[in-house]
Amino acid sequence: MALLTLLMLTLEVSKSQSCPRSCNCYRANEVHCTFRSLLTIPPGLPSRTRRMNLGFNSISRLNDKSLVGLKRVELLMLHSNDLQRLPDGVFKDMKSLQILKLSYNKLREISSSLTFSGLTSLLRLYLDHNLLQHIHPRALLQLPSLRLLRLQGNRLHQLHPHTLCTLSFLNTYYVSTVRHLDLSNNSLTTLPKECVTTAPLLETLFLQANPWSCDCRMKWFLSWSLAHPGNRHV
């Protein structure tokens, strides 16, 4: 009986550590599933995984169990898929995630304040080249460690003053921890002053290829630029 129990435990451990059939695991802790025509995230991803590349597939949806248990993943690449929405809490187990790449999908909005819940260690978020028109004003408040945010190549028309904030104190004081921000190639005509004045760590800001309106709403930008000569803004 003891031998049978040990054998069953060994099989369970082996199963939880095996590589999904549709992927390659060239190195321990890495899973590569690119160019496999996947429609969903493959089941049975090893819990030990730290780096996961699911780019260049046809994944169109995530559900609340797609990424459950992946507490050690530090890099998740889901670029060049067909994702149209992100369910609330889909990343809730990914406490170790530092880089999330969602570039070149079909996301139209980040509609909830809970979309990125759980990602307390996230440093880099790539949302560029989607179809984004709206980002919930509190969506990034789940990302207190965020340093790089790529939003270029979307369809953003406007931003709420607190959209880019990653920390909130008593729901009164809002701060962004972002150092590098790319808003280029959108449909922005103006930018709320708070988007940059709440970001004391900001070093680079890309704004080109937007249809800016040179009116009183952007008057603040000249004085801000002169007051921050060390910042790179294009």
Side-chain angles (χ1 to χ4, degrees), residues 169-187:
F169 303 97
L170 303 175
N171 288 320
T172 302
Y173 302 101
Y174 292 85
V175 178
S176 173
T177 57
V178 172
R179 291 182 182 272
H180 308 285
L181 174 62
D182 195 336
L183 291 169
S184 61
N185 195 22
N186 276 280
S187 299

Side-chain angles (χ1 to χ4, degrees), residues 84-133:
Q84 298 180 32
R85 62 180 296 271
L86 300 173
D88 287 359
V90 66
F91 306 108
K92 61 181 181 298
D93 282 355
M94 309 190 80
K95 309 293 185 184
S96 301
L97 192 65
Q98 297 180 25
I99 301 173
L100 175 58
K101 190 164 186 178
L102 293 164
S103 311
Y104 292 96
N105 275 280
K106 297 177 181 178
L107 298 171
R108 293 185 178 277
E109 63 176 341
I110 306 297
S111 60
S112 170
S113 62
L114 300 177
T115 301
F116 299 118
S117 60
L119 299 179
T120 53
S121 299
L122 195 70
L123 297 172
R124 300 181 183 181
L125 176 58
Y126 296 84
L127 288 167
D128 55 285
H129 298 95
N130 277 272
L131 304 172
L132 288 174
Q133 298 182 39

Side-chain angles (χ1 to χ4, degrees), residues 28 59 61 78 90 109 122 163-164 184 207 227:
I59 299 172
R61 63 186 296 270
L78 281 165
V90 66
E109 63 176 341
L122 195 70
T163 294
L164 306 178
S184 61
L207 298 171

